[in-house]
Each structure stands twice: as structure tokens, then as C-alpha cells.
Amino acid sequence: CTNHCIWNNDNITDIGSRLWNNGLISRGILYITDFMDNDNTLMSYNLFCERWNLDSNIITPKSYVDIKMAIRKFNCPMVRHRDISRIDKKDSLLFFKDASKNVS
């Protein structure tokens, strides 16, 4: 499975809304695996903040839940290319759309 960038991605949405967080983007937190622990499961809010040295000014617990839900919605173990437990960290998409849908 490709390590998708989660920001403004048509396939990784929270109830139809694309995700965007300038604070996380500016810190290089871009990919699904940035939200996963060593066991390939999604981290808790506290563990995520500890790992990336973040506080609630950068991401709130609610914003983090929105991201987790979007990743869980994308995850589909029955479909190989959407099974996040099979993500290859070396196979990361190195571009993403900005808030205006421009590809960077």
C-alpha cells in the first residue's frame, strides 16, 4: 500500500471534507504513517503529540479524531492498496494539493 499524503486528498476525507492543518504540514507531518505507531496502528492523541512534540495549539484532540476517522475510513483490509497495515514507508507520494487544490 502506498503511504498517501493525507492533506487535501480526495480519498482520505472526514465525512466528505478534505483534511488540512497548516501546523502539521509545516512540521513535515504529511503521510498516513506519521499517525501510526511501530505496530502499524493509529496512535492516540497523547502519543501522537508526544512523538512529534506538539501541543493543543497545533492540533486539538477533536482535530486529531477527525484525522483518525478519515484514515480509518480510507483503510480497507480487504483491498490490498487500501490496507494501512501493509503500507510501504518507502513508497510515499511526494506531492500533495494545497488548500487551493494546486499540486505541490
Side-chain angles (χ1 to χ4, degrees):
C1 180
T2 300
N3 190 15
H4 290 274
C5 175
I6 69 163
W7 308 118
N8 208 23
N9 186 320
D10 293 332
N11 297 309
I12 304 174
T13 61
D14 174 45
I15 311 174
S17 300
R18 291 183 195 98
L19 302 171
W20 195 260
N21 183 302
N22 287 325
L24 297 181
I25 293 167
S26 69
R27 287 166 175 74
I29 301 169
L30 307 173
Y31 302 103
I32 292 173
T33 54
D34 294 333
F35 297 87
M36 297 174 70
D37 61 21
N38 292 335
D39 296 326
N40 279 349
T41 59
L42 292 170
M43 288 185 266
S44 68
Y45 172 75
N46 291 334
L47 185 58
F48 177 77
C49 289
E50 183 180 309
R51 175 181 179 189
W52 294 102
N53 195 28
L54 303 170
D55 60 40
S56 60
N57 294 330
I58 304 299
I59 186 166
T60 64
K62 190 218 178 293
S63 295
Y64 188 72
V65 166
D66 293 344
I67 292 168
K68 281 181 72 169
M69 295 307 292
I71 293 171
R72 284 181 178 160
K73 185 176 143 203
F74 169 81
N75 183 37
C76 182
M78 299 298 288
V79 179
R80 187 173 185 88
H81 69 276
R82 291 184 59 168
D83 181 358
I84 65 172
S85 70
R86 298 173 178 257
I87 287 179
D88 181 356
K89 293 179 183 178
K90 296 175 190 161
D91 187 16
S92 299
L93 296 179
L94 299 176
F95 63 89
F96 63 96
K97 297 176 192 172
D98 66 18
S100 301
K101 298 185 181 179
N102 298 313
V103 176
S104 299

